[in-house]
């Protein structure tokens, strides 16, 4: 009978691939570096195959077989996670731990309203939160470190199921006294010639702003970029340019205390807020049951 790898060995392999460093991978797995190294070496001996090139370099280099097995290890871990989730979901839905990932342009503005609602509606649910960029959250979902994502759609999320909860239109943030602030709403065409500042690459809001609106004729600033909406608003208040903000962030007070004017962006331009979970997850009905509470928090201005 073939000896199968243990889940821990697969976790070591996936963590090493994701972190590209033995020490950081060991920390992510809550073990010592020597334990992680020994676990991967034991896996290689068990398989009678080299997964890493022993070149003496500081960064791990995977063999072609090792690179192929990383994806298979992720799939195997996801299947094991689904196995356990099926039992938990059948035993008592929406109780126990739920690991929720969310992006920085949603979490700070929605969670203060959402958490009290979830505690009231599902008192036995223990929510563990992680805030990160979309790509890293999707990696965590695929690896089984996260159960559910609250993010902006559309996104390239891989093999997941998604559910739209609400539309989140864009507004234009302008320095006080800007000529466009005299209008009740701003059309995309009026942005021609304006310096439009956006978040740094990697933030999905940047991509949504560029693709949804097209920003015809507008020059996106290459000199200035921000890592948070709060910083972006302060840059607008300092007269460095204008920006687009989702309604959720405006309602959440992102412009409070800043010398900016906010006007709606005319047209159906914005993003969708939704949930994402692993395809064919046995907890899918649980996740859908959370949607009304999230929608209610979004409508609570």
């Amino acid at each position: 009978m073939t000896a199968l790898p243990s889940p821990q060995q697969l976790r070591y392999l996936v963590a090493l691939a994701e972190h590209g460093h033995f020490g950081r991978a060991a920390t992510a797995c809550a073990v010592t570096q020597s334990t992680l190294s020994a676990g991967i070496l034991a896996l290689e001996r068990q398989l009678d195959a080299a997964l890493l090139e022993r070149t003496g370099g500081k960064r791990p280099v995977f063999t072609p077989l090792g690179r192929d097995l990383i994806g298979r290890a992720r799939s195997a871990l996801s299947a094991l996670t689904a196995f356990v989730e099926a039992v938990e979901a059948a035993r008592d839905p929406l109780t126990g731990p739920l690991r929720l990932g969310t992006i920085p342009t949603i979490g700070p503005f929605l969670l203060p309203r959402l958490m009290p609602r979830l505690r009231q509606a599902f008192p036995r649910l223990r929510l563990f939160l992680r805030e990160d960029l979309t790509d890293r959250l999707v990696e965590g979902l695929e690896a089984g470190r996260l159960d559910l994502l609250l993010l902006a759609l559309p996104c390239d999320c891989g093999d997941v199921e998604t559910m739209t909860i609400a539309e989140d239109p864009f507004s234009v943030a302008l320095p006080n006294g800007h000529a466009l602030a005299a209008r009740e709403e701003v059309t995309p065409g009026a942005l021609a010639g304006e310096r439009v500042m956006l978040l740094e690459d990697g933030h999905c809001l940047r991509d949504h702003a560029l693709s949804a609106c097209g920003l015809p004729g507008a020059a996106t600033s290459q000199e200035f970029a921000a890592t948070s909406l709060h910083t972006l608003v302060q840059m607008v208040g300092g007269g460095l340019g204008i920006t687009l903000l989702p309604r959720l962030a405006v309602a959440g007070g992102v412009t409070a205390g800043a010398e900016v004017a906010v006007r709606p962006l005319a047209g159906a331009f914005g993003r969708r807020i939704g949930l994402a979970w692993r395809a064919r997850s046995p907890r899918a009905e649980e996740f859908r049951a959370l949607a009304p509470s999230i929608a209610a928090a979004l409508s609570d201005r």
Side-chain angles (χ1 to χ4, degrees), residues 34-142:
S34 60
T35 298
L36 182 134
S37 298
I40 291 179
L41 182 59
L43 176 62
E44 290 180 307
R45 289 173 176 169
Q46 183 176 329
L47 298 174
D48 191 23
L51 306 182
L52 293 172
E53 296 180 6
R54 264 58 181 197
T55 60
K58 294 183 178 180
R59 295 182 63 84
V61 179
F62 288 88
T63 64
L65 176 61
R67 289 193 296 271
D68 177 64
L69 291 182
I70 291 166
R72 297 178 186 273
R74 287 195 178 102
S75 298
L77 289 171
S78 293
L80 286 172
T81 299
F83 183 88
V84 176
E85 286 177 346
V87 178
E88 294 174 343
R91 182 185 300 123
D92 203 353
L94 287 171
T95 64
L98 174 65
R99 299 164 297 175
L100 175 67
T102 186
I103 57 177
T105 58
I106 291 180
F109 311 107
L110 177 60
L111 292 178
R113 301 200 299 267
L114 176 60
M115 296 300 286
R117 288 181 177 274
L118 292 183
R119 283 195 295 269
Q120 182 177 11
F122 311 104
R124 297 176 60 193
L125 183 68
R126 291 189 293 129
L127 204 58
F128 296 91
L129 302 174
R130 178 173 180 82
E131 184 178 279
D132 211 332
L133 299 181
T134 301
D135 288 347
R136 291 199 284 267
L137 292 177
V138 171
E139 288 179 3
L141 185 68
E142 291 175 343

Side-chain angles (χ1 to χ4, degrees), residues 9-256:
Q9 287 174 321
L10 298 184
R11 291 190 188 97
Y12 292 163
L13 186 68
V14 170
L16 188 60
E18 291 178 349
H19 294 276
H21 186 276
F22 279 94
R24 290 194 291 270
T27 299
C29 294
V31 298
T32 64
Q33 184 171 328
S34 60
T35 298
L36 182 134
S37 298
I40 291 179
L41 182 59
L43 176 62
E44 290 180 307
R45 289 173 176 169
Q46 183 176 329
L47 298 174
D48 191 23
L51 306 182
L52 293 172
E53 296 180 6
R54 264 58 181 197
T55 60
K58 294 183 178 180
R59 295 182 63 84
V61 179
F62 288 88
T63 64
L65 176 61
R67 289 193 296 271
D68 177 64
L69 291 182
I70 291 166
R72 297 178 186 273
R74 287 195 178 102
S75 298
L77 289 171
S78 293
L80 286 172
T81 299
F83 183 88
V84 176
E85 286 177 346
V87 178
E88 294 174 343
R91 182 185 300 123
D92 203 353
L94 287 171
T95 64
L98 174 65
R99 299 164 297 175
L100 175 67
T102 186
I103 57 177
T105 58
I106 291 180
F109 311 107
L110 177 60
L111 292 178
R113 301 200 299 267
L114 176 60
M115 296 300 286
R117 288 181 177 274
L118 292 183
R119 283 195 295 269
Q120 182 177 11
F122 311 104
R124 297 176 60 193
L125 183 68
R126 291 189 293 129
L127 204 58
F128 296 91
L129 302 174
R130 178 173 180 82
E131 184 178 279
D132 211 332
L133 299 181
T134 301
D135 288 347
R136 291 199 284 267
L137 292 177
V138 171
E139 288 179 3
L141 185 68
E142 291 175 343
R145 296 191 302 273
L146 295 171
D147 304 311
L148 181 66
L149 304 183
L150 177 60
L151 38 67
L153 302 173
C155 77
D156 183 11
C157 299
D159 187 22
V160 302
E161 292 184 46
T162 60
M163 177 182 183
T164 297
I165 297 175
E167 299 293 330
D168 195 17
F170 284 137
S171 295
V172 183
L174 311 149
N176 281 341
H178 192 285
L180 293 178
R183 304 187 181 187
E184 292 187 2
E185 62 178 15
V186 178
T187 63
L191 302 180
E194 298 290 342
R195 173 182 284 179
V196 180
M197 298 184 299
L198 301 171
L199 294 175
E200 289 183 341
D201 287 337
H203 288 268
C204 59
L205 182 61
R206 176 186 181 92
D207 299 330
H208 289 149
L210 290 172
S211 63
C213 304
L215 297 179
T220 58
S221 174
Q222 302 299 315
E223 299 173 337
F224 304 102
T227 58
S228 74
L229 290 180
H230 288 91
T231 301
L232 202 58
V233 167
Q234 294 303 318
M235 291 163 64
V236 172
L240 299 178
I242 68 175
T243 194
L244 299 182
L245 297 174
R247 182 174 63 185
L248 173 65
V250 175
V254 71
T255 61

Side-chain angles (χ1 to χ4, degrees), residues 275-295:
L275 296 174
W277 57 85
R278 286 182 293 277
R280 299 168 295 281
S281 170
R283 301 183 70 183
E285 289 307 312
E286 288 186 82
F287 301 149
R288 293 189 183 98
L290 289 173
S293 294
I294 299 173

